[in-house]
Amino acid sequence: MKTDVILAGVGGQGILSMGAIIGLAALEEGLHLKQSETHGMSQRGGAVVSHVRLSDRSVYADLIHHGQADLILAVEPMEALRQLPFLKKDGYLITNTDPFTNLPNYPEIGKIQEALDQLPKVLKIDATDLARDIGHAKSSNIIMLGALSAFVHISVQSFEKGIETVFAGKGEDVVEFNKQAFHLGRKVALTTV
């Protein structure tokens, strides 16, 4: 088993937290893991990307090459489009449909969606609206993580342990609403795909 995942978004959207949760969950499962991050200008809403490589065998390289990602998970549609060269021909794109318009020349969202709709395997989720619906607007990234969980060989229990570890310092309420968000995203993915 080997799964190469790219997480994409902008600063402040929780990409690094998502990577940490996946990493902790993978280690809980006894998997081998390599992770690399790039986050230039992340404090100002700049692009943030994390390469996460999971396997039941040793993983020797941190980075995923173009055309080799099994999954791209984007919490923002333009960042999904930006990472597409990394996706395998039969790879899956999971993307939030809500744009984070932090640029004055942000592309027209209709054109981005049109380009993403050309992919053979794409799951589009309005995670921002779902997060608002459950009363935790900041948990849209964990909803997306829940969707990703439907595509990787890591148990729900291990993801929950990762969520507990990453958010433990913020209190039990934060841990619990993030678990709720995770399960919502997983349910959406399992009922859509």
Side-chain angles (χ1 to χ4, degrees), residues 91-95 116-124 192-193:
Y92 227 109
L93 171 69
I94 308 166
T95 183
L116 298 178
D117 286 341
Q118 301 303 311
L119 296 170
K121 296 179 179 178
V122 61
L123 173 60
K124 298 190 301 184
T192 306
V193 177

Side-chain angles (χ1 to χ4, degrees), residues 26-91:
L27 292 175
E28 182 71 20
E29 300 275 315
L31 296 174
H32 296 268
L33 165 78
K34 288 281 186 181
Q35 183 177 4
S36 177
E37 300 157 354
T38 55
H39 37 92
M41 303 292 284
S42 59
Q43 295 299 318
R44 298 183 184 182
V48 179
V49 178
S50 180
H51 289 212
V52 181
R53 306 189 72 211
L54 309 167
S55 178
D56 56 2
R57 298 180 182 173
S58 295
V59 179
Y60 298 105
D62 296 346
L63 297 177
I64 301 166
H65 296 284
H66 279 192
Q68 296 300 309
D70 299 291
L71 288 167
I72 293 176
L73 177 71
V75 294
E76 201 287 318
M78 186 177 77
E79 295 305 322
L81 194 61
R82 192 189 314 257
Q83 299 304 316
L84 283 184
F86 288 96
L87 191 63
K88 280 182 176 176
K89 286 183 180 179
D90 61 344

